Amino acid sequence: MVKTSSLVPAALVISAAFTLIIPFRLIQFIGYSIFILICLTFIYAKILAKKIKVDRPVSELKLACKEHVIINFTIKNYSIFPAFICYYSDTAPYLYIFHNENSGIITLRPHEARQIKYKISTQDRGLYPVGPVKIHTSDPLGLFQIELELPCELKITVRPARIKLSTLTYPGFPQGALKIHNPIYEDITMRRSVREYVNGDEVKRINWRLSAKFDRLFTNQYEESYDAPFFVFLNLAEEDYDFRNRSYHSEKAIEIAASIVEASRVKKQRCGFAAYGSDFPYLKPAANQADVILDLLSLIKTVPGKLPYNPEAKFRHQLPAGTMLFVIGPREVENYFLKIEADKEELDTHKLKIERKKAVNGL
């Protein structure tokens, strides 16, 4: 948008007076010159307003609470005219911005692109919009002010803060992604090595091709691995938490749940999720689902009331056999804080008694 300075109407009136009323040619020339200069500066401002663009390399960003990240965008002047003084400001409400570097002053030469970078941090979970970018500039004489609001929005999903918590798994399905030294879980599709035959080796393990080549028996050795699907249940019933520290403890429960879900992704395990919380989400264990669950944990909230059922009894027979059921609620959060205060050993899900028995029935 181009705004006209209050000087422009006065200059036009003077130009008209010089041209139409005063008969002297020199003064009429000055009047015509003022009029032409105003027209040229207006054209300058209109072209500049249409040719300044803003671009972001990404439209979505995901990070954890209290994590620092660099936000960047590019301002480019596509016109043949320079912007001598250009003020910019990137709208980023509810975020902590270091040194207020999301705003400043730059000069843009014709066809010049300037990259702007600034660092932010977040304190709470949630979905935060960044943008639009506001730009203020003008023509060289300052007669026409250019005010632009360019959309180029960025959505920042802030996930629960990362905590130090190890997630233990126990053997479930053979032929998975987790390594284990137990021949019961050998994966015959993944040959690890070949060794010389030892009396007692099974005939089906003999590598006949290699044995024929070297005229002595060789035995195949396979990778030993297993899968242990995860299922995380999160209790966010308000009345189950002590009133004095309800907000802090429920947030810590969400962080513990996020830590277990993140571990499932690292260990390449299927993960499911359910919660007694806002919208009551339920997701069966599935591959590549950890990101979806973490996004849910970024926005989930507590709900009034108490948990009306036993999650272990409710979900144990609904999940695939061998699924690790993790229940997180007030009791588990209390155990977490007690272990933190003791500060004697590394925390894991077994010591916090978060793990429950494996599911026994398959669907």
Side-chain angles (χ1 to χ4, degrees):
M1 182 174 62
V2 177
K3 289 186 176 181
T4 304
S5 170
S6 58
L7 295 175
V8 173
L12 289 174
V13 170
I14 294 172
S15 173
F18 282 4
T19 305
L20 302 175
I21 299 174
I22 302 175
F24 299 104
R25 289 187 177 180
L26 178 60
I27 296 177
Q28 288 179 343
F29 175 76
I30 294 173
Y32 281 123
S33 299
I34 293 173
F35 178 76
I36 293 171
L37 183 62
I38 291 173
C39 290
L40 290 175
T41 54
F42 178 73
I43 294 171
Y44 187 111
K46 291 294 287 185
I47 293 175
L48 196 60
K50 290 182 179 180
K51 295 297 183 178
I52 293 180
K53 305 294 181 182
V54 176
D55 180 58
R56 292 189 195 272
V58 295
S59 59
E60 293 185 7
L61 191 62
K62 297 179 181 180
L63 64 154
C65 283
K66 301 176 183 177
E67 193 174 42
H68 298 171
V69 68
I70 300 294
I71 303 294
N72 64 79
F73 60 93
T74 302
I75 305 175
K76 187 167 184 179
N77 178 13
Y78 287 93
S79 76
I80 59 173
F81 304 120
F84 294 102
I85 299 178
C86 184
Y87 301 87
Y88 68 85
S89 176
D90 192 11
T91 307
Y94 314 113
L95 298 175
Y96 178 76
I97 301 167
F98 291 83
H99 311 298
N100 294 320
E101 292 180 344
N102 63 319
S103 59
I105 304 174
I106 58 173
T107 299
L108 288 173
R109 295 190 297 271
H111 302 289
E112 182 185 12
R114 293 285 296 271
Q115 189 176 53
I116 309 299
K117 293 183 179 182
Y118 62 93
K119 185 162 61 172
I120 66 165
S121 178
T122 57
Q123 300 298 320
D124 301 305
R125 296 178 300 113
L127 183 63
Y128 298 90
V130 175
V133 176
K134 297 179 181 179
I135 294 178
H136 298 266
T137 185
S138 68
D139 64 277
L141 300 180
L143 298 178
F144 298 96
Q145 301 296 320
I146 302 171
E147 295 183 3
L148 303 176
E149 194 170 285
L150 304 172
C152 68
E153 294 183 352
L154 169 66
K155 293 182 180 179
I156 299 179
T157 303
V158 181
R159 292 172 171 175
R162 293 189 174 96
I163 59 174
K164 292 183 178 180
L165 178 64
S166 301
T167 302
L168 301 182
T169 59
Y170 298 102
F173 301 111
Q175 301 183 359
L178 298 170
K179 305 301 181 190
I180 188 172
H181 297 293
N182 190 333
I184 296 176
Y185 296 94
E186 278 190 340
D187 185 351
I188 60 173
T189 65
M190 298 176 63
R191 191 169 65 188
R192 181 181 63 197
S193 62
V194 178
R195 61 171 173 79
E196 288 193 16
Y197 176 84
V198 176
N199 191 24
D201 285 348
E202 296 179 0
V203 175
K204 64 181 180 181
R205 292 176 177 270
I206 296 176
N207 189 321
W208 294 107
R209 180 177 296 179
L210 196 65
S211 300
K213 182 177 180 180
F214 291 96
D215 198 24
R216 63 179 187 273
L217 294 177
F218 287 90
T219 303
N220 290 323
Q221 288 186 300
Y222 302 100
E223 292 285 357
E224 298 158 350
S225 60
Y226 69 97
D227 268 338
F230 287 33
F231 188 83
V232 179
F233 176 80
L234 177 61
N235 176 13
L236 291 178
E238 288 184 350
E239 294 182 20
D240 285 340
Y241 291 86
D242 184 70
F243 178 76
R244 293 171 299 176
N245 47 31
R246 178 176 296 165
S247 177
Y248 182 60
H249 280 208
S250 61
E251 191 65 30
K252 188 58 65 176
I254 295 171
E255 292 174 4
I256 293 172
S259 174
I260 297 172
V261 174
E262 184 68 35
S264 75
R265 179 168 61 179
V266 173
K267 297 176 185 292
K268 299 179 181 179
Q269 299 303 294
R270 290 180 292 160
C271 188
F273 178 72
Y276 190 81
S278 57
D279 299 324
F280 294 88
Y282 175 78
L283 296 171
K284 294 181 180 179
N288 304 318
Q289 196 167 246
D291 274 330
V292 176
I293 299 172
L294 289 171
D295 287 344
L296 285 173
L297 291 172
S298 302
L299 302 173
I300 198 167
K301 297 179 181 178
T302 57
V303 292
K306 291 188 174 184
L307 181 65
Y309 54 83
N310 181 347
E312 183 179 352
K314 180 179 177 66
F315 294 108
R316 184 184 175 195
H317 296 282
Q318 297 181 18
L319 300 172
T323 302
M324 298 295 301
L325 175 60
F326 299 90
V327 178
I328 301 114
R331 184 178 63 182
E332 289 73 25
V333 173
E334 291 287 350
N335 289 340
Y336 176 84
F337 285 119
L338 289 174
K339 294 293 184 182
I340 288 289
E341 290 177 3
D343 196 25
K344 293 181 179 179
E345 49 195 352
E346 184 180 356
L347 292 180
D348 59 52
T349 51
H350 180 69
K351 292 169 185 172
L352 297 184
K353 300 180 180 179
I354 292 174
E355 298 163 355
R356 298 295 189 266
K357 295 178 181 178
K358 300 178 204 173
V360 296
N361 284 347
L363 294 177

